[in-house]
Amino acid sequence: MRVLALLDGTLVDPETPLFRADDLGVTRGDGVFETILVADREPRELAAHLDRMQRSARLMQLPLPDRAAWLRAVQAVVDAWPWDQERELALKLVCTRGIDGGDGTPHGFALGSSIEAGTLRKREQGVSAVTLERGYEPDLMERAPWLLLSAKTLSYAVNMAAMREAESRGADEVIFTAADGSVLEGPTSTVVLARGDELLTTPPSSGILEGTTQGALFRTAERAGWRTRAEKFPVADLHSADGVWLASSVRLITQVRSIDGSPVRADPQLHAELARLYESNYGTG
Amino acid sequence: MRVLALLDGTLVDPETPLFRADDLGVTRGDGVFETILVADREPRELAAHLDRMQRSARLMQLPLPDRAAWLRAVQAVVDAWPWDQERELALKLVCTRGIDGGDGTPHGFALGSSIEAGTLRKREQGVSAVTLERGYEPDLMERAPWLLLSAKTLSYAVNMAAMREAESRGADEVIFTAADGSVLEGPTSTVVLARGDELLTTPPSSGILEGTTQGALFRTAERAGWRTRAEKFPVADLHSADGVWLASSVRLITQVRSIDGSPVRADPQLHAELARLYESNYGTG
């Protein structure tokens, strides 16, 4: 099931072409996006996603359409979704820089899609991950903003290639590492580990995307007495942790069961506690 | 002027949308492309471009439509171009991975566009360049093929951001440098320098795109008695060279006049010689 809305709130057939061949989104991956979970009509972390899309756009000097337009498109998809058939959808917001050599008008849409079977399986059964080099030093981001390390751009070919590399190694997911061996992020997720009464994640200053789902988890975990920290840590810490998770909007708080072929601690009770803390952010929690 | 052809050779209106919102080219920059100069009906280095697109596709595990389809689309654009009005065009070949969750059919086109005024100015007057960090070690490519360093993918947001960074510094072009300080390439060009009777460029093993225009120049330069070499070199070599050029299909052999605000040697006779050597590859030379 796919439901597509334009920024004026109009619904259009998702199978009808929408982008010209000379749109910079097509020819240059020049644009930004967000993927949002909508569960039981509630778009989760919508404000955080829209804030992050605005930050991505600013880093790219892309004139993002205003928030009202995005909210209109989101509402149009939510209103048109067949809730009697499916109680969740993955909502993608996309904005390209528009026509190459055109008047600079950006081109955006909101597309709701059914949750894929593979995603449901990852949520329920957890995942195997491999570490892959990302190639840069964690201090690069501040020195080299043109590398867009903290922007969620449409240029995701490397993220997709890394996922294929994982599959070719018989794994489900990737954990990127920096040139200094520290842990960065997944191609489409944030790494979280538990250690005693502490939850740890990589700081955005390492050139990773600030995680909306990880943010939601940390928010309620703090209230429940967990200490939370964003700090650089080496791959070895994944292996010695009490648990490792990949947080993403649609896969939620996915438990990691093995890394590079070695099992990591995967306590079902600890997993259930984190999942419950995350869910407690929402009406369904 | 824009002329658009599909891979079956059909011409379509370039202003009519061609890509669905859920095409992986739009949502993930997941695809490959080439830009080819067509001058006086002759597509320059067409075989080298198609070979490179095939290499890019292989690195991305993208099933590229066969060569006959691309040749058909190229011919359709060339045949439809208004040659009485414009004697050159920039021909972009694009292939995306097709619909997300679809049957895996790639989606391609050939788009001919007029040469932009800014490009003509760069050809004639040369350019100022700034060096910008690309962030990785030159030996990364062989270790980490998932980073697609030698593939020409549609994920060019960083290349475009680097060009904006150059403009914000009052420069026309970028020369990327590796973490070890060696010279890599431009965002859409290959770096060439002259030193005595030698032409030097960065080796593809440093994780750069193999240059078709640089290749054409080196081919005729060798015949004319130049020694040519692909070898790593530091930024300092740009400043001590007899001349520095950025080679690209549409901007041709563009003379670099300054780097990071310092003038570099820019001998008009040497430039004319290299331009002539490059042109001698073609019917118009």
Side-chain angles (χ1 to χ4, degrees), chain A residues 125-163:
Chain A
Q125 301 175 11
V127 294
S128 54
V130 292
T131 56
L132 293 180
E133 260 185 288
R134 190 67 187 76
Y136 60 80
E137 294 289 344
D139 64 348
L140 184 66
M141 186 184 80
E142 299 197 9
R143 283 207 314 275
W146 51 86
L147 297 179
L148 305 175
L149 292 176
S150 57
K152 196 167 174 78
T153 79
L154 296 175
S155 287
Y156 255 42
V158 167
N159 304 256
M160 298 298 103
M163 291 298 280

Side-chain angles (χ1 to χ4, degrees), chain B residues 49-61:
Chain B
H49 281 289
L50 291 175
D51 288 348
R52 188 168 69 181
M53 189 159 64
Q54 185 60 60
R55 285 198 303 277
S56 297
R58 201 175 306 127
L59 272 163
M60 295 179 76
Q61 298 169 32

Side-chain angles (χ1 to χ4, degrees), chain A residues 2 18-19 22 133 143, chain B residues 2 18-19 22 133 143:
Chain A
R2 284 191 188 168
L18 192 60
F19 286 86
D22 54 0
E133 260 185 288
R143 283 207 314 275
Chain B
R2 285 192 186 167
L18 190 61
F19 286 86
D22 54 0
E133 260 185 288
R143 282 208 312 275

Side-chain angles (χ1 to χ4, degrees), chain B residues 260-281:
Chain B
D260 296 330
S262 301
V264 291
R265 223 163 290 167
D267 175 355
Q269 282 189 317
L270 185 52
H271 176 63
E273 183 183 345
L274 294 195
R276 187 186 54 74
L277 285 169
Y278 161 76
E279 286 291 337
S280 71
N281 281 287

